[in-house]
Amino acid sequence: MIVVPQIIRSRQHRNERKKRSLSRRISQFALGFGIVVSLLISFLIIVTTVLFANLTENLPSLENLPLLFDPPQGKLLQPTRLFDRSGEEIIAIMQYPSSTSTHYLSMNEDNLYHIPSIIMDATIAATDPDFWTHQGFSWDGIREGTHPTLAQKLVADNLLWAEPPSIDRALKERLLAAQITSLYGREKILEWYLNSSDYGRLAYGVDSAAWMYFGKSATKLSLAEAAVLAATAESPQLNPIDAPLAVLETRDEILQEMFNQDLISSTQLQKALKEEHTFQSTQDLTLDIAPEFTRLVLEQTGEYFPLERVLRGGLNIITTLDYELQLQAECTASTQIARVTDSAEKDLPEQVLGNCEMARLLPSIQQESSLIDSSLASNVVVLDPHTGQLLALVGSDESGFDPTRLPGRQPGSILTPFIYLTSFTRGMSPATLLWDIPANLVEGVAESVNQNNIFHGPVSARTALVNDYLTPAIQILTQMDPDQVWHTTQQLGLRNLQVPPEEGAHLLPFSGGEATLLEISQAYGVLAAQGILAGTTNISASSDNGNAPINPQVMTKIVETTGEEWLNCAGQITDCRTIKRPVTSPQLAYLVTNILSDETARWPSLGHPNPLEVGRPAAGKIGTTITGEDTWTVGYTPDLVTAVWIGTEDPNLDGTIPPTWSADLWHAIIQYATRDQPAEEFSPPPGITELQVCDPSGMLPTEECPNLIDEIFIIGNEPTQTDHLFQTFLINRETGRLATIFTSPALIDEKIFMVIPPEAEDWARDAKIAAIPQAYDMLDVSPSQPGNARIESPSMFSNIKGSVPIMGRATGNDFSFYRLQIGAGLNPRNWLQIGVDIDKQVQNGKLAVWDTTELNGLHTLQLIVAYGDDSVESTTIQVTIDNQAPDVIIRYPEDGQELSLSEVREITIQTEVSDDLDLAEVEFFIDGELVSTLTSQPYAIPWRMKIGNHILRVRATDRAGNISEANSKIIVGK
């Protein structure tokens, strides 16, 4: 009876224990959960604090807003201005023409220039309906990066414009919008917004926009006109001038919204919807000086800062333009066009020239033309080749010809220096022999290029280039891969050169392609700077492994009107500093410069004096096209590049534009631009040597050479063989045939002939060049001769070498002995016996073995048979002994050279092969396989490359059978 209560009590005790344990666990869980929540809240507080600290770190000062907007010294109230390189002359002001009538509008109604309520209401209804009630910002559009309130727009456009879109920037924008709303109030925000908003076409502020589109102050706008401006502020590119229909559609939507918000009555709405507008005629930015240059400056500035911010105002941009040079170049270009299109006035009177001092330097017009074309236009570029700074730029804005951008013009023969530059990388030199003959013309261009059917035969590369003989240029292109030539040209600065496909690439010096005058100037600047392309590059591409395009530099500094510096290109680490990229070697560039500055070399085509002679060392080149619509002149001193284009797009052009028209303009510009500078020579870089050679072959002189000149070469590329173009032959003056041993010495004359290759024979005949006789004098052999003394081998006039068996006959009645003897030349004065007298008769067998290894050249071989009665019988032949093997040099590709298939697929194998007497053939082997056999110059073949290691072997054989070889290992990669 006692146990039950104990059990009950025991159970009660256990239950209480369980309750206490559960209570403890609940208490522990609650404590743990509270700790976790506390830690989470603490973490969130810390994270929020850190995020807020990051957001507020380096926030723009709110005090900047009054400095930007408040009159009279607000930064954005001043338009952005472009100055010349001195910083003193203004060349452009970034505002529309009638902006001088505008005023800053105040919210104060007592102010004469105050903001009408209809403008405020239209702007708020269109952009920020809750403007008067919210805290200055909205969370809408935070991910899309939109700016749904006026305060946010003000912050985004003027305080955070330099930051790229991001969530972080969106949060900063809203924080700043709330702060400026609290600090300055809504009315000030609305005032600043309306006086600074972009209304398109460089109209900033509502009053500027009212004058731009309606020709009146914003204080006098109607309700409908106010809605038009509110619509324009929403999308400045869709403004009343550029997109009137879109603006009117948005205007109606804004008016309806104003009605919905009880800002206007139904009557006002209907009246405004019916209102018709007469927008002002198009007013473009007035650019009286260098408009193309100004566009380049804005493009280049936009690579560093948002162009919208630059145009908004408050900046001074110091450019590279030489103000005086620009003005003089503009008036001189206009003067030249006036002179050549007005046949009545070739020399303009003094009152017309006025202050255009440069125009006084224009040479008298020497080349008349029947072309009277009012559509003629001119472009001029002047730049510093060592910095790439653009000093002057004259375009033809009215006619649409822009020297800075595509579409460009057909470059024509102004490209030929770059053909020769590429050829010099393959072993050619200024002295290399080329042939200006019809056989080397491309089919279909002969009539256009040589309208007078004038060809010049053998010419040096120097003569061909400086006189613009185009046939040799085509000869070089044929020997090389045209695509590789034009690829080289693109590296020099002509990056937009459009190369015609297939055969059109060979015709590019005549017609086709596309280039701008500015690009051509850059390419010639590389020559002036001895292989260096200088300028500036796009900031976004500046780390592109050195392959980013280099553009001429057009600005040096950007500063705020208050003096704060945004950009200074004079620094050593700034992105806008001068970049100098080597694109060819100084030696190669100097070879071209030396040719283009050779005044006497161009006299055959231009005469003396001519427009390219400016009284100081200057390299110059005139270029033309087949159509005659374009003429170029580009040239340079060591420190200045000047380029001129004169042309037209008139499809009814009657005649061609004389190339001297552009040359005359170039002459005046470069003389004026360098008038205060000392004359400076083009200094040769190390690695250049000078050597006397025979002209035009470019080989070492011989006694036969008619003209010796001093020529320059890259060390290691000098000629090693003597001249073979001019050779002496012995002629029978009576028969005109080649003399032989049977010709009477009294009738033999020594005469020098030009050795004409087969492909030039037609030219030589037309040019009345004396041909080398092909026939020899008749042999003085009587048919009744018994023939006991005969030489069967070697044959008459054969080429022999080494040990030569002499075959023949030495026999007859009363035979005593026979003797063999040789003498140098046709009529030897001295004879040398071969072996000893032999007393055994020979019937059609071997008479002797003649060792010729110590001899060379023309020799006479004589067989004498003696008889017992002291009578003799003899026979004589002439042979040419040639124990000297040909010389073979592989100029390109060099041994061990690595080539890339991605850069060029086909190359031209260039060799230099010569022989002291006469070559028979030159064979080309690739990896042991014969790919070509040539029997005449040029000894060059095209080869379509394949990836891998290859062995090139060139084997030359002369008429005597002597053989020489040269080998080159070629590595072709991807």
Side-chain angles (χ1 to χ4, degrees):
M1 298 299 294
I2 300 176
V3 177
V4 173
Q6 290 179 339
I7 294 174
I8 293 173
R9 285 196 299 271
S10 175
R11 288 177 177 174
Q12 289 176 342
H13 181 70
R14 285 198 301 271
N15 290 337
E16 290 176 358
R17 242 189 358 253
K18 288 180 179 179
K19 289 179 180 179
R20 287 196 300 271
S21 175
L22 178 61
S23 177
R24 282 197 305 272
R25 286 199 297 271
I26 291 173
S27 298
Q28 290 173 351
F29 176 77
L31 177 62
F33 181 75
I35 293 173
V36 170
V37 171
S38 299
L39 290 175
L40 182 59
I41 293 173
S42 299
F43 176 75
L44 290 175
I45 292 173
I46 293 173
V47 170
T48 302
T49 303
V50 171
L51 289 175
F52 185 79
N54 289 335
L55 282 176
T56 56
E57 185 180 11
N58 299 323
L59 275 179
S61 173
L62 300 184
E63 297 177 357
N64 286 337
L65 291 176
L67 297 177
L68 290 174
F69 302 124
D70 283 350
Q73 299 299 325
K75 295 178 184 179
L76 295 185
L77 299 181
Q78 309 298 321
T80 292
R81 291 176 170 87
L82 274 62
F83 291 83
D84 75 335
R85 64 191 300 107
S86 71
E88 298 177 356
E89 300 288 349
I90 296 176
I91 62 174
I93 300 176
M94 297 295 102
Q95 63 183 14
Y96 75 96
S98 60
S99 61
T100 54
S101 302
T102 63
H103 293 85
Y104 183 91
L105 303 185
S106 170
M107 290 289 288
N108 186 353
E109 293 184 0
D110 296 332
N111 193 315
L112 176 62
Y113 300 105
H114 65 273
I115 304 172
S117 60
I118 56 173
I119 292 179
M120 292 186 286
D121 292 343
T123 300
I124 292 172
T127 305
D128 190 1
D130 298 325
F131 174 75
W132 298 109
T133 58
H134 61 56
Q135 298 301 310
F137 71 92
S138 170
W139 292 111
D140 294 341
I142 191 168
R143 293 187 177 276
E144 294 80 6
T146 58
H147 322 292
T149 73
L150 296 182
Q152 286 180 237
K153 287 180 180 291
L154 205 64
V155 167
D157 291 342
N158 300 285
L159 296 181
L160 297 178
W161 57 267
E163 291 193 28
S166 66
I167 292 295
D168 185 57
R169 179 191 166 177
L171 293 174
K172 287 182 179 180
E173 175 186 304
R174 284 155 175 80
L175 175 61
L176 288 170
Q179 290 178 346
I180 66 171
T181 301
S182 174
L183 181 61
Y184 296 110
R186 292 175 175 80
E187 288 191 352
K188 196 64 177 176
I189 289 173
L190 183 57
E191 178 181 309
W192 283 341
Y193 176 81
L194 288 171
N195 280 283
S196 66
S197 286
D198 181 5
Y199 288 88
R201 302 182 72 84
L202 296 179
Y204 295 101
V206 68
D207 201 40
S208 295
W211 283 104
M212 163 74 89
Y213 301 120
F214 297 108
K216 57 185 175 182
S217 171
T219 60
K220 299 180 179 180
L221 293 179
S222 67
L223 172 60
E225 291 169 339
V228 166
L229 294 190
T232 304
E234 288 290 285
S235 300
Q237 68 277 13
L238 300 178
N239 56 70
I241 292 177
D242 296 319
L245 295 180
V247 168
L248 293 178
E249 182 179 343
T250 308
R251 178 206 69 172
D252 293 349
E253 294 175 358
I254 292 173
L255 290 171
Q256 186 64 51
E257 185 63 27
M258 293 178 71
F259 173 74
N260 295 339
Q261 296 179 27
D262 294 328
L263 296 174
I264 59 175
S265 66
S266 174
T267 302
Q268 289 176 304
L269 172 62
Q270 296 304 316
K271 181 181 178 181
L273 290 175
K274 294 177 181 178
E275 184 174 329
E276 295 183 358
H277 303 288
T278 301
F279 299 122
Q280 294 287 94
S281 59
T282 302
Q283 299 183 53
D284 291 321
L285 178 66
T286 302
L287 299 175
D288 295 327
I289 302 173
E292 291 82 10
F293 180 83
T294 297
R295 283 192 281 269
L296 273 185
V297 173
L298 295 179
E299 287 176 9
Q300 200 169 106
T301 304
E303 295 173 1
Y304 300 93
F305 306 103
L307 194 56
E308 295 81 2
R309 174 60 190 89
V310 173
L311 296 176
R312 190 173 290 272
L315 299 176
N316 291 332
I317 302 175
I318 311 301
T319 73
T320 62
L321 192 78
D322 185 316
Y323 186 79
E324 182 187 9
L325 182 62
Q326 176 70 28
L327 293 182
Q328 291 291 322
E330 287 180 357
C331 68
T332 304
S334 299
T335 300
Q336 178 67 351
I337 294 299
R339 290 202 314 162
V340 300
T341 55
D342 186 354
S343 59
E345 293 188 6
K346 295 304 180 184
D347 296 306
L348 297 181
E350 191 75 16
Q351 59 269 27
V352 175
L353 293 176
N355 295 324
C356 195
E357 295 295 327
M358 183 189 289
R360 303 175 192 274
L361 299 173
L362 287 168
S364 297
I365 295 178
Q366 301 295 325
Q367 192 170 355
E368 298 291 340
S369 172
S370 60
L371 174 64
I372 307 298
D373 186 359
S374 60
S375 71
L376 277 181
S378 63
N379 289 167
V380 175
V381 170
V382 183
L383 60 80
D384 181 342
H386 302 291
T387 62
Q389 290 189 357
L390 193 55
L391 305 178
L393 181 67
V394 179
S396 298
D397 197 41
E398 293 182 0
S399 59
F401 294 121
D402 190 331
T404 67
R405 51 177 52 81
L406 296 175
R409 305 293 299 177
Q410 293 186 21
S413 63
I414 203 66
L415 296 178
T416 55
F418 309 114
I419 298 176
Y420 287 86
L421 176 69
T422 308
S423 73
F424 293 157
T425 68
R426 311 291 182 82
M428 279 185 56
S429 73
T432 297
L433 173 64
L434 300 170
W435 287 89
D436 183 20
I437 55 178
N440 287 337
L441 270 177
V442 175
E443 184 178 356
V445 299
E447 182 178 351
S448 299
V449 176
N450 289 276
Q451 296 181 359
N452 298 321
N453 199 32
I454 297 177
F455 294 91
H456 304 86
V459 292
S460 67
R462 174 182 294 272
T463 300
L465 170 55
V466 80
N467 289 285
D468 213 25
Y469 298 158
L470 296 184
T471 308
I474 296 301
Q475 180 186 356
I476 297 174
L477 272 181
T478 302
Q479 295 173 6
M480 297 187 297
D481 178 12
D483 288 338
Q484 188 167 3
V485 174
W486 306 132
H487 175 71
T488 299
T489 304
Q490 290 167 342
Q491 289 180 317
L492 297 176
L494 280 161
R495 59 183 181 273
N496 290 315
L497 178 64
Q498 302 297 312
V499 181
E502 301 177 356
E503 287 301 318
H506 292 81
L507 299 176
L508 202 51
F510 300 100
S511 64
E514 191 175 39
T516 69
L517 184 63
L518 187 59
E519 290 177 331
I520 291 174
S521 304
Q522 275 191 284
Y524 274 79
V526 172
L527 303 177
Q530 293 199 347
I532 303 296
L533 176 60
T536 187
T537 190
N538 187 307
I539 184 173
S540 62
S542 58
S543 60
D544 187 20
N545 300 321
N547 295 320
I550 292 180
N551 303 305
Q553 186 175 346
V554 295
M555 65 176 181
T556 60
K557 186 184 294 186
I558 301 177
V559 295
E560 289 187 355
T561 53
T562 56
E564 183 179 348
E565 195 171 89
W566 280 26
L567 190 69
N568 190 335
C569 299
Q572 296 301 311
I573 58 174
T574 61
D575 290 311
C576 66
R577 70 189 186 281
T578 298
I579 294 175
K580 296 185 177 182
R581 179 186 300 164
V583 293
T584 191
S585 74
Q587 295 77 21
L588 291 170
Y590 179 75
L591 291 184
V592 179
T593 294
N594 185 267
I595 293 173
L596 296 182
S597 60
D598 190 339
E599 289 189 355
T600 58
R602 56 178 169 244
W603 287 354
S605 60
L606 294 182
H608 173 66
N610 61 71
L612 297 189
E613 296 175 3
V614 293
R616 64 173 61 230
K621 177 70 174 62
I622 297 176
T624 58
T625 57
I626 283 181
T627 60
E629 296 177 3
D630 302 88
T631 173
W632 312 75
T633 300
V634 185
Y636 49 93
T637 64
D639 297 314
L640 196 73
V641 176
T642 300
V644 171
W645 167 85
I646 291 180
T648 179
E649 274 189 341
D650 185 357
N652 300 314
L653 181 69
D654 183 15
T656 60
I657 301 173
T660 53
W661 287 0
S662 64
D664 288 345
L665 180 54
W666 178 88
H667 174 96
I669 295 171
I670 201 165
Q671 275 203 327
Y672 185 88
T674 59
R675 67 195 184 285
D676 297 327
Q677 300 175 5
E680 184 180 349
E681 298 283 347
F682 292 103
S683 301
I688 296 292
T689 186
E690 187 173 293
L691 185 68
Q692 190 176 69
V693 297
C694 181
D695 181 59
S697 73
M699 310 301 286
L700 297 177
T702 63
E703 293 182 357
E704 292 87 352
C705 179
N707 187 31
L708 300 180
I709 62 169
D710 293 326
E711 189 54 273
I712 60 170
F713 300 88
I714 296 177
I715 292 177
N717 197 31
E718 306 94 329
T720 57
Q721 292 87 29
T722 56
D723 175 65
H724 57 267
L725 183 62
F726 296 95
Q727 297 181 21
T728 298
F729 292 85
L730 300 179
I731 304 296
N732 184 328
R733 76 170 69 94
E734 289 187 351
T735 65
R737 296 181 177 183
L738 291 171
T740 68
I741 54 176
F742 306 107
T743 305
S744 170
L747 298 177
I748 296 178
D749 283 341
E750 290 187 354
K751 190 173 182 180
I752 298 175
F753 286 88
M754 181 189 297
V755 180
I756 305 294
E759 64 271 18
E761 290 177 354
D762 291 341
W763 165 82
R765 183 167 50 254
D766 294 340
K768 302 187 183 318
I769 302 296
I772 303 171
Q774 299 299 308
Y776 287 91
D777 252 3
M778 295 295 292
L779 300 183
D780 188 15
V781 179
S782 171
S784 61
Q785 182 180 1
N788 290 326
R790 287 186 178 277
I791 298 175
E792 303 291 345
S793 176
S795 61
M796 178 71 81
F797 311 129
S798 62
N799 295 75
I800 61 175
K801 67 170 185 173
S803 294
V804 180
I806 302 175
M807 310 296 291
R809 178 190 303 175
T811 185
N813 296 329
D814 198 20
F815 174 84
S816 177
F817 66 89
Y818 71 85
R819 175 185 299 169
L820 288 166
Q821 59 184 18
I822 59 169
L826 285 180
N827 295 282
R829 295 182 179 180
N830 299 300
W831 294 90
L832 178 65
Q833 185 172 342
I834 300 175
V836 298
D837 293 342
I838 299 175
D839 57 5
K840 293 182 178 180
Q841 298 186 53
V842 175
Q843 287 281 358
N844 300 323
K846 181 184 295 183
L847 298 172
V849 175
W850 179 18
D851 184 5
T852 70
T853 54
E854 299 299 323
L855 304 175
N856 222 54
L858 181 66
H859 282 72
T860 300
L861 173 63
Q862 186 176 57
L863 169 63
I864 301 174
V865 178
Y867 299 99
D869 59 359
D870 292 333
S871 64
V872 297
E873 188 176 342
S874 66
T875 186
T876 306
I877 67 170
Q878 65 185 62
V879 294
T880 300
I881 302 172
D882 186 358
N883 284 302
Q884 182 173 322
D887 290 321
V888 182
I889 299 174
I890 299 176
R891 291 296 187 188
Y892 180 83
E894 298 177 353
D895 187 35
Q897 185 168 352
E898 297 185 10
L899 303 171
S900 174
L901 201 63
S902 62
E903 295 181 358
V904 60
R905 294 189 174 275
E906 186 174 275
I907 65 170
T908 299
I909 297 172
Q910 300 278 334
T911 68
E912 185 176 317
V913 185
S914 64
D915 188 67
D916 62 325
L917 293 174
D918 197 9
L919 280 167
E921 63 181 18
V922 177
E923 299 169 295
F924 292 80
F925 298 84
I926 302 291
D927 299 331
E929 180 182 351
L930 178 65
V931 295
S932 183
T933 300
L934 303 178
T935 58
S936 63
Q937 292 195 39
Y939 298 115
I941 65 167
W943 176 51
R944 196 160 191 83
M945 299 189 299
K946 298 179 180 178
I947 294 177
N949 297 336
H950 304 279
I951 300 295
L952 165 64
R953 178 162 57 97
V954 180
R955 181 170 67 191
T957 306
D958 63 20
R959 297 295 181 187
N962 297 298
I963 297 176
S964 289
E965 293 185 351
N967 295 277
S968 178
K969 294 180 180 178
I970 311 170
I971 304 170
V972 180
K974 295 182 179 179

